[in-house]
């Protein structure tokens, strides 16, 4: 297939910003995209470091989350590249700039949505931590749908300091005030003719994690893209941090109370009248478990439908989950938003 044809396919897919297909070309591995498995390198929210091996089929008799003997350890090799499908490599010409930065207008447009037209933006100034913003009238705002490393509330646990030299900030309210009197908002930084969503800036530099809550699906996808680019480049918290493995309950317990990103394969499903259980091990007293309310399962199914799967079909699937680690008979995570769950591969293990 000619490079021009491959480029056209990627443009038509809607998964790659137009800016990604301009500029100086570089070579990347993209076989999973072409084969329909999804492009983990940069095209999917699950892309980036520490996800190698998730595509390998796992014998059901010994399945314990991932293929035995393989861990989600740090790696500089692209997850989802041709090495996961033996003897097959495919090269696509893409711009070097596209690997480093997403189209800056995409997240701004998708996350603001109707708010940019229906609500009046509030001029604000950034606090020392770069995540709490104050208006002249004393209103307080925190960044919606992001959380800093190691914290459960993005407004109170930041170690991030933005370079506010010459920048002006506008806050678009995204939801009601929290218990500290701070309202979540989409905050736009303006410097000259440049406008960028502050959430995207922090994610792209590796200073925050996506914490889906108020944004629509397209907005969450755009934010995850920026996070994935930072992860692949080892920026900020991804320089030493990593996607945690669901096969290591001890490591997850060490992160109790913190917001994390974890990857692994679901070995079984459970369900009660109120709760759906995604089990990542056979020892429910100690292994990692993810839960979600049965009443909210339909919302998860609606998002998963894009991949042709439902929550009830996820046994054996490799997934990426994000949320706060809690402890009850081992580590567990409660999902309250469909954006907290990403399917990497839903091929079941084989005998």
């Amino acid at each position: 297939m000619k490079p021009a044809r491959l480029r056209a396919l990627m443009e038509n897919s809607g998964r790659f910003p137009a800016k990604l297909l301009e500029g100086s070309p570089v070579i990347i591995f993209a076989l999973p995209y072409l084969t329909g498995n999804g492009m983990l390198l940069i095209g999917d929210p699950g892309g980036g470091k520490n996800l190698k091996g998730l595509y390998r089929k796992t014998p059901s008799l010994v399945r314990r989350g991932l293929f035995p003997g393989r861990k989600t350890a740090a790696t500089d090799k692209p997850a989802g590249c041709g090495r996961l499908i033996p003897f097959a490599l495919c090269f696509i010409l893409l711009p070097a700039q596209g690997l480093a930065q997403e189209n800056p207008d995409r997240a701004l447009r998708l996350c603001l949505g109707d708010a940019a037209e229906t609500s009046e933006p509030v001029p604000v100034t950034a606090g020392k931590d770069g995540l709490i913003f104050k208006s002249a009238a004393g209103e307080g705002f925190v960044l919606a749908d992001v959380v800093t490393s190691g914290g459960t509330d993005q407004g109170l646990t930041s170690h991030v300091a933005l370079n506010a030299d010459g920048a002006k900030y506008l806050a678009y309210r995204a939801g009601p005030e929290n218990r500290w009197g701070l309202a979540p908002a989409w905050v736009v930084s303006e410097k000259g003719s440049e406008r960028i969503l502050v959430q995207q800036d922090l994610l792209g530099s590796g200073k925050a994690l996506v914490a889906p809550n108020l944004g629509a699906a397209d907005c969450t996808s755009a934010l995850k893209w920026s996070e994935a680019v930072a992860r692949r480049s080892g920026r900020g918290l991804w320089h030493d941090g990593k996607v945690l493995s669901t096969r290591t309950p001890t490591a997850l317990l060490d992160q109790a109370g913190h917001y994390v990103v974890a990857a692994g394969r679901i070995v079984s499903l459970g369900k009660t009248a109120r709760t759906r259980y995604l089990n990542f091990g056979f020892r429910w007293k100690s292994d990692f478990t993810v839960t979600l309310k049965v009443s909210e399962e339909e919302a998860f199914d609606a998002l998963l439908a894009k991949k042709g799967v439902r929550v009830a079909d996820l046994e054996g699937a490799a997934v990426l989950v994000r949320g706060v680690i809690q402890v009850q008979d081992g580590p567990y995570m409660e999902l309250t938003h469909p954006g907290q769950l990403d399917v990497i591969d839903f091929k079941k293990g084989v005998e």
Side-chain angles (χ1 to χ4, degrees), residues 108-242:
L108 181 65
R109 172 172 48 84
L110 294 175
C111 294
L112 286 187
D114 295 335
E117 299 179 359
T118 61
S119 63
E120 195 70 24
V122 180
V124 292
T125 57
K128 292 182 179 180
D129 61 6
L131 293 181
I132 297 180
F133 297 79
K134 290 284 187 178
S135 71
E139 297 173 288
F141 298 91
V142 291
L143 296 172
D145 286 27
V146 297
V147 62
T148 58
S149 178
T152 57
D153 188 279
Q154 57 269 33
L156 301 178
T157 60
S158 170
H159 300 289
V160 179
L162 294 177
N163 180 8
D165 183 26
K168 298 180 180 179
Y169 297 98
L170 296 175
Y172 294 82
R173 183 185 289 266
E177 294 182 354
N178 60 22
R179 55 181 171 173
W180 295 284
L182 303 172
W186 305 110
V187 180
V188 178
S189 170
E190 294 186 344
K191 189 174 183 181
S193 60
E194 181 182 7
R195 300 179 80 239
I196 188 170
L197 190 68
V198 173
Q199 282 92 331
Q200 182 186 20
D201 188 48
L202 292 176
L203 292 165
S205 56
K207 296 176 181 176
L209 300 173
V210 179
N213 182 26
L214 299 169
D218 287 344
C219 167
T220 300
S221 177
L223 295 179
K224 286 178 179 177
W225 177 300
S226 296
E227 179 190 276
V229 171
R231 182 163 67 241
R232 279 291 302 130
S233 303
R235 299 177 193 159
L237 63 91
W238 298 112
H239 179 69
D240 297 316
K242 63 181 181 180

Side-chain angles (χ1 to χ4, degrees), residues 24-303:
S24 304
V26 294
I27 302 282
I28 66 168
F29 297 110
L31 182 61
Y33 166 73
L34 295 177
T35 58
N37 290 328
M39 187 175 178
L40 294 184
L41 178 61
I42 53 176
D44 275 356
K49 280 188 176 182
N50 316 314
L51 300 179
K52 66 179 182 179
L54 291 181
Y55 267 102
R56 298 184 181 277
K57 293 183 177 180
T58 308
S60 60
L61 294 180
V62 294
R63 191 167 65 230
R64 301 189 65 80
L66 291 177
F67 190 77
R70 294 197 175 270
K71 299 179 179 179
T72 49
T75 176
D76 290 328
K77 297 181 179 179
C81 69
R83 61 183 289 273
L84 299 179
I85 305 179
F87 314 115
L89 293 175
C90 181
F91 303 93
I92 293 181
L93 294 177
L94 288 177
Q97 182 180 7
L99 292 176
Q101 180 177 335
E102 184 195 4
N103 184 337
D105 295 330
R106 184 166 178 253
L108 181 65
R109 172 172 48 84
L110 294 175
C111 294
L112 286 187
D114 295 335
E117 299 179 359
T118 61
S119 63
E120 195 70 24
V122 180
V124 292
T125 57
K128 292 182 179 180
D129 61 6
L131 293 181
I132 297 180
F133 297 79
K134 290 284 187 178
S135 71
E139 297 173 288
F141 298 91
V142 291
L143 296 172
D145 286 27
V146 297
V147 62
T148 58
S149 178
T152 57
D153 188 279
Q154 57 269 33
L156 301 178
T157 60
S158 170
H159 300 289
V160 179
L162 294 177
N163 180 8
D165 183 26
K168 298 180 180 179
Y169 297 98
L170 296 175
Y172 294 82
R173 183 185 289 266
E177 294 182 354
N178 60 22
R179 55 181 171 173
W180 295 284
L182 303 172
W186 305 110
V187 180
V188 178
S189 170
E190 294 186 344
K191 189 174 183 181
S193 60
E194 181 182 7
R195 300 179 80 239
I196 188 170
L197 190 68
V198 173
Q199 282 92 331
Q200 182 186 20
D201 188 48
L202 292 176
L203 292 165
S205 56
K207 296 176 181 176
L209 300 173
V210 179
N213 182 26
L214 299 169
D218 287 344
C219 167
T220 300
S221 177
L223 295 179
K224 286 178 179 177
W225 177 300
S226 296
E227 179 190 276
V229 171
R231 182 163 67 241
R232 279 291 302 130
S233 303
R235 299 177 193 159
L237 63 91
W238 298 112
H239 179 69
D240 297 316
K242 63 181 181 180
V243 174
L244 298 177
S245 170
T246 61
R247 291 193 66 204
T248 55
T250 302
L252 292 170
L253 286 172
D254 289 342
Q255 297 298 317
H258 298 308
Y259 196 99
V260 306
V261 180
R265 196 173 290 279
I266 299 171
V267 302
S268 67
L269 300 174
K271 188 176 183 180
T272 64
R274 296 183 178 181
T275 306
R276 166 70 77 175
Y277 296 89
L278 312 181
N279 303 310
F280 291 82
F282 295 109
R283 297 185 296 269
W284 63 272
K285 279 285 188 179
S286 59
D287 286 330
F288 181 57
T289 300
V290 167
T291 67
L292 59 99
K293 293 180 179 179
V294 170
S295 60
E296 298 175 351
E297 189 169 329
E298 185 175 342
F300 283 80
D301 285 344
L303 188 60

Side-chain angles (χ1 to χ4, degrees), residues 326-349:
Q326 304 180 60
V327 181
Q328 182 177 331
D329 293 326
Y332 84 97
M333 178 187 296
E334 181 180 1
L335 305 185
T336 58
H337 189 285
Q340 292 177 264
L341 173 66
D342 291 296
V343 176
I344 301 171
D345 169 32
F346 53 83
K347 295 178 181 177
K348 296 180 181 293

